[in-house]
């Protein structure tokens, strides 16, 4: 797995004019929060941040080097200007690695259900699930192989088959997809 690194420096100035000066030098203002809710103001290289931001998901752990000190973190949020195609601000969440994190994740599907190949219609019931795990155990994506779903059968959250280190917050018996029978004319 590729390791993503963002170098950051602690900043002292805040406010609009300080942020404009920072952006003019090719850097963006950022803030990092830890698990206790404490925060530190940072500035990061805009190009370096953008490259990493475009390559990660909400549950990809990155290395945030603050003045040379390594921290495991997530990119929690970013302010992005669609017109100029530039990030304007970033929020990081620094984690210790020994406290479980709850994450809401979109379900991605692979395979064509067997029931669809027989004329049925795929019905998607829930688009995302909520899981809880240690930061190192969180998957970057949730992939559901729905190729064995037949007409009239149910594919539930527990059928996704994640590691036993991951706890489902979403009810494991919740239906993810079904295949409805073909319509009669």
């Amino acid at each position: 797995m590729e390791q993503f690194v963002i170098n950051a420096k602690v900043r002292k100035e805040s406010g609009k004019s300080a942020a404009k000066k920072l952006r003019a030098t090719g850097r963006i203002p950022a803030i990092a929060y830890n698990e206790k809710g404490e925060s530190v103001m940072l500035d990061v290289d805009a190009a370096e941040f953008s490259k990493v931001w475009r390559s990660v998901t909400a549950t990809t752990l990155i290395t945030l080097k603050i003045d040379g000190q390594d921290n495991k973190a997530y990119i929690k949020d970013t302010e992005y200007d669609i017109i100029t195609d530039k990030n304007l601000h970033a929020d990081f969440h620094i984690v210790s690695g020994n406290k479980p994190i709850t994450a809401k994740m979109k379900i991605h599907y692979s395979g064509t259900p067997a029931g669809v190949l027989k004329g049925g219609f795929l019905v998607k019931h829930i688009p995302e699930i909520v899981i809880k795990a240690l930061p190192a155990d969180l998957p970057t994506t949730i992939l559901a192989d729905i190729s064995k779903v037949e007409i009239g059968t149910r594919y539930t959250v527990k059928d996704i088959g994640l590691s036993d280190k991951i706890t489902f917050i979403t009810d494991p018996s919740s239906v993810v997809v079904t295949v409805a029978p073909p319509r009669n004319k």
Side-chain angles (χ1 to χ4, degrees), residues 77-120:
D77 195 18
T78 184
E79 185 179 340
Y80 176 74
D81 186 345
I82 196 167
I83 296 169
T84 61
D85 189 32
K86 291 183 180 175
N87 294 93
L88 303 175
H89 187 275
D91 288 1
F92 297 97
H93 181 212
I94 297 173
V95 294
S96 63
N98 53 16
K99 183 178 177 187
I101 292 184
T102 301
K104 182 186 280 189
M105 299 188 67
K106 188 174 186 324
I107 301 170
H108 299 275
Y109 305 101
S110 70
T112 302
V116 170
L117 297 173
K118 295 174 183 172

Side-chain angles (χ1 to χ4, degrees), residues 4 8 20 38 64 104 112 116 135 142 157 177 179 183:
F4 298 99
K20 280 185 179 182
E38 302 164 340
L64 180 63
K104 182 186 280 189
T112 302
V116 170
I142 301 288
V157 169
V177 296
V179 176
R183 295 186 183 124

Side-chain angles (χ1 to χ4, degrees), residues 130-134 137-139 142 162-168:
V130 180
I131 59 175
K132 186 175 189 175
L134 290 174
D137 297 328
L138 276 177
I142 301 288
L162 296 176
S163 162
D164 58 353
K165 296 177 182 178
I166 297 170
T167 305
F168 290 112

Side-chain angles (χ1 to χ4, degrees), residues 27-43:
R27 300 188 68 79
I28 59 170
I31 192 159
Y33 300 94
N34 64 17
E35 292 171 333
K36 298 173 190 163
E38 302 164 340
S39 63
V40 60
M41 293 189 311
L42 306 170
D43 73 75

